[in-house]
Amino acid sequence: MTLPTADELQRRASDLLATWRVLDTSIVVAWNGRLSTTAGRAFVRKGRVELNPRLLARAPEQVLTVLTHETAHVATFRLFGANVPAHGRHWRALMRHVGHEPAVTHRIPVRGLRRSRRSFHYLRFCEACGDRVIHTARRFGRCHGCSARDSFLFLRAPATAQGLAALQRLTPAEVRAAFG
Ligand SMILES: [Zn+2]
Ligand SMILES: [Zn+2]
């Protein structure tokens, strides 16, 4: 899985705002591993965009489309205020201006992405340096071992003592084999 870093996306979003002649080009872009089947969301007042790494890992070519979609919501708010429709003509014009079809829903398959009520432990394995951490959620960010951001493999097991032991026992070869 090679997704751009949040920093790269943030610069891109800021450039988009400048292209749309928004005076305030400050924006925060973050990956949010807790998003379920939504590709991204925008908090227009805060100037914050969140993208779904589990969903977009299935369609990395869609990342910029989703980023543009959500950033256009922030731009619409800054340019036209809160009283224009979310996906109305203002927003659609901004999307077209930068060469994107103003589509409202994504077509990335969401099978298996809905959050289960069971809880899990996640082994995060860094392919770059072999660092391993077990968490109760998929945590992105920098590897503690080598600072890479995008070399993680995640394996999960039920949040039980047996599940935890199974994750701890896995060898690097077994982790890699699980990903073919
Ligand atoms: Zn939208
Ligand atoms: Zn590492």
Side-chain angles (χ1 to χ4, degrees):
M1 167 173 66
T2 52
L3 291 170
T5 67
D7 286 351
E8 287 164 358
L9 295 173
Q10 197 161 305
R11 280 194 294 275
R12 186 69 170 247
S14 194
D15 288 349
L16 281 167
L17 291 172
T19 302
W20 288 320
R21 308 221 182 275
V22 180
L23 289 179
D24 177 5
T25 60
S26 62
I27 187 163
V28 174
V29 178
W31 289 110
N32 181 347
R34 297 170 61 84
L35 292 178
S36 170
T37 58
T38 179
R41 59 185 181 181
F43 300 88
V44 296
R45 287 170 202 280
K46 282 197 247 173
R48 178 182 175 87
V49 164
E50 293 182 352
L51 303 178
N52 182 339
R54 293 191 298 147
L55 181 73
L56 290 168
R58 298 179 173 196
E61 76 285 354
Q62 294 286 306
V63 171
L64 289 181
T65 304
V66 176
L67 178 74
T68 305
H69 177 128
E70 302 305 334
T71 304
H73 283 311
V74 175
T76 302
F77 175 73
R78 289 184 184 169
L79 291 169
F80 308 109
N83 295 321
V84 303
H87 300 109
R89 64 187 173 83
H90 301 82
W91 176 85
R92 292 198 305 267
L94 295 178
M95 290 292 283
R96 290 203 186 92
H97 181 68
V98 292
H100 282 279
E101 271 304 304
V104 173
T105 52
H106 66 76
R107 291 192 213 86
I108 306 167
V110 297
R111 207 171 343 109
L113 280 179
R114 284 180 206 287
R115 292 187 81 73
S116 136
R117 246 154 242 122
R118 295 175 67 192
S119 53
F120 295 95
H121 287 310
Y122 292 87
L123 169 67
R124 186 184 81 181
F125 178 80
C126 176
E127 274 201 299
C129 74
D131 181 68
R132 48 201 296 162
V133 199
I134 293 176
H135 285 305
T136 54
R138 280 169 216 260
R139 293 244 187 102
F140 291 81
R142 285 192 188 283
C143 170
H144 305 309
C146 68
S147 296
R149 284 176 181 276
D150 49 14
S151 304
F152 299 135
L153 300 177
F154 287 92
L155 281 180
R156 76 175 190 190
T160 60
Q162 296 95 311
L164 186 58
L167 289 180
Q168 285 165 340
R169 269 198 310 271
L170 283 170
T171 65
E174 287 171 326
V175 175
R176 288 199 183 90
F179 287 83

